[in-house]
Amino acid sequence: KAANGFQGGYFLFEGTQLPLDDSCAVFVTMNPGYAGRSELPDNLKALFRPVAMMVPDYALIGEISLYSAGFKEARVLAHK
């Protein structure tokens, strides 16, 4: 969190100067509703933004892909 917004290309972490890579990101995937899994601790939860995920609509993706390839009846073909 100390490196957030730092412009020098490096930041100090526990006495060590570390380079920043602005093309790198960290994602945490948690499903606390399943048995045996626990919530992320509050001190870590504060460092990440929540993101909602959903199941993709494969028929719509197929339809768009078929239309882009020039198929005239893409909607009918995509649902098969």
Side-chain angles (χ1 to χ4, degrees):
K1 191 170 183 176
N4 193 11
F6 191 73
Q7 302 294 327
Y10 289 89
F11 74 103
L12 194 62
F13 179 72
E14 295 185 356
T16 304
Q17 191 173 16
L18 298 173
L20 288 177
D21 183 358
D22 59 358
S23 65
C24 180
V26 176
F27 296 91
V28 176
T29 303
M30 300 272 305
N31 291 326
Y34 290 106
R37 296 190 185 168
S38 59
E39 285 277 337
L40 196 62
D42 288 336
N43 60 341
L44 290 177
K45 195 184 292 186
L47 300 174
F48 296 94
R49 281 188 232 167
V51 176
M53 298 180 72
M54 56 186 274
V55 177
D57 184 351
Y58 293 112
L60 180 60
I61 293 169
E63 181 181 341
I64 293 168
S65 296
L66 289 168
Y67 273 128
S68 68
F71 285 82
K72 302 285 186 206
E73 300 295 324
R75 179 163 292 178
V76 176
L77 293 171
H79 291 280
K80 289 187 177 184

